[in-house]
Amino acid sequence: MELARARLRGARHRPDGDSELTVEAIRRAARHAKLQVLTGVLGNRLVVIAGGSDNPLKVAKALIGPYAAGPVVAGPVVPDLLAATRSAQAAAAGLKACSAWQDAPRPVLSDDLLPERAMAGDRAARDQLVEEIYRPLEEAGSALLETLSVYLEQASSLEGAARMLFVHPNTVRYRLRRVTDVTGWSPSDVRSAFTLRVALILGRLAAGDPQS
């Protein structure tokens, strides 16, 4: 069934008022959006497991109406109900770390909060940043890692990075495009640059740790 193939777990602040009415409002919104949901109120959180779409943000926006003010975090899509715990943990970690990104959109993906989650002590986020950003750059060659590092240290200046690397600015520009191709994060975007910087730091720490 679709619920088993495409699922997200959302950890969100629950709205004020009767919990049963809140849950029923979520179910009505889900029926209207043609989604299947399991939902409940846990303490001060309204938690939803939703299926029927592979777009977590679209699902979160469709169900956001009954929520109280505050952050709304959508976990990643996972293949089946057995993997829902992994998505739930990512969403809960994102909710915990969301206060560190005051301009975060609402709703926000847990993966967009990877740097804040890593700083808050989420080991899964740290591992994800290393495995999805640092390792691929490392495998693509030392030039990409060096160029990205120098570019970020030079306040995102192509000319400044080129001078430090003794190359033409166009070479820096090309390598940064390759960084985007390899990682999916653009060094020229402020938010992405922050994520890349944290990934570089964590990758270097992991490389220097014989236990990692």
Side-chain angles (χ1 to χ4, degrees), residues 8-30 37-50 59-75 87-88 91-96 106-108:
L8 68 90
R9 178 72 172 251
R12 298 124 179 192
H13 287 301
R14 72 172 179 84
D16 298 325
D18 188 278
S19 296
E20 291 185 9
L21 293 177
T22 298
V23 168
E24 182 54 36
I26 287 288
R27 290 173 177 160
R28 284 198 304 271
V37 297
L38 297 173
T39 184
V41 175
L42 302 178
N44 66 344
R45 293 177 181 175
L46 175 60
V47 181
V48 177
I49 303 173
V59 171
K61 288 176 182 177
L63 303 179
I64 203 171
Y67 292 109
V72 176
V73 182
S87 184
L95 188 62
K96 176 183 176 183
R106 183 179 187 268
V108 61

Side-chain angles (χ1 to χ4, degrees), residues 28-154:
R28 284 198 304 271
R31 287 194 294 270
H32 180 74
K34 297 186 166 125
L35 299 167
Q36 301 90 37
V37 297
L38 297 173
T39 184
V41 175
L42 302 178
N44 66 344
R45 293 177 181 175
L46 175 60
V47 181
V48 177
I49 303 173
S53 171
D54 60 359
N55 188 327
L57 276 183
K58 182 178 179 181
V59 171
K61 288 176 182 177
L63 303 179
I64 203 171
Y67 292 109
V72 176
V73 182
V77 172
V78 291
D80 52 48
L81 188 57
L82 293 177
T85 298
R86 173 165 51 86
S87 184
Q89 290 170 341
L95 188 62
K96 176 183 176 183
C98 204
S99 60
W101 184 13
Q102 295 189 345
D103 294 327
R106 183 179 187 268
V108 61
L109 293 174
S110 60
D111 278 1
D112 289 341
L113 287 157
L114 282 173
E116 286 83 7
R117 287 168 52 195
M119 291 180 181
D122 181 4
R123 182 58 185 264
R126 293 170 60 188
D127 291 345
Q128 188 174 340
L129 285 167
V130 172
E131 294 302 321
E132 295 185 1
I133 295 178
Y134 186 84
R135 301 287 187 219
L137 288 174
E138 189 177 43
E139 292 170 2
S142 60
L144 291 189
L145 272 176
E146 181 184 25
T147 299
L148 175 61
S149 178
V150 171
Y151 176 75
L152 294 176
E153 292 296 332
Q154 293 298 311

Side-chain angles (χ1 to χ4, degrees), residues 114-116 118-119 129 152 193-203:
L114 282 173
E116 286 83 7
M119 291 180 181
L129 285 167
L152 294 176
F194 172 59
T195 302
L196 289 165
R197 184 186 290 274
V198 173
L200 287 182
I201 293 170
L202 293 173

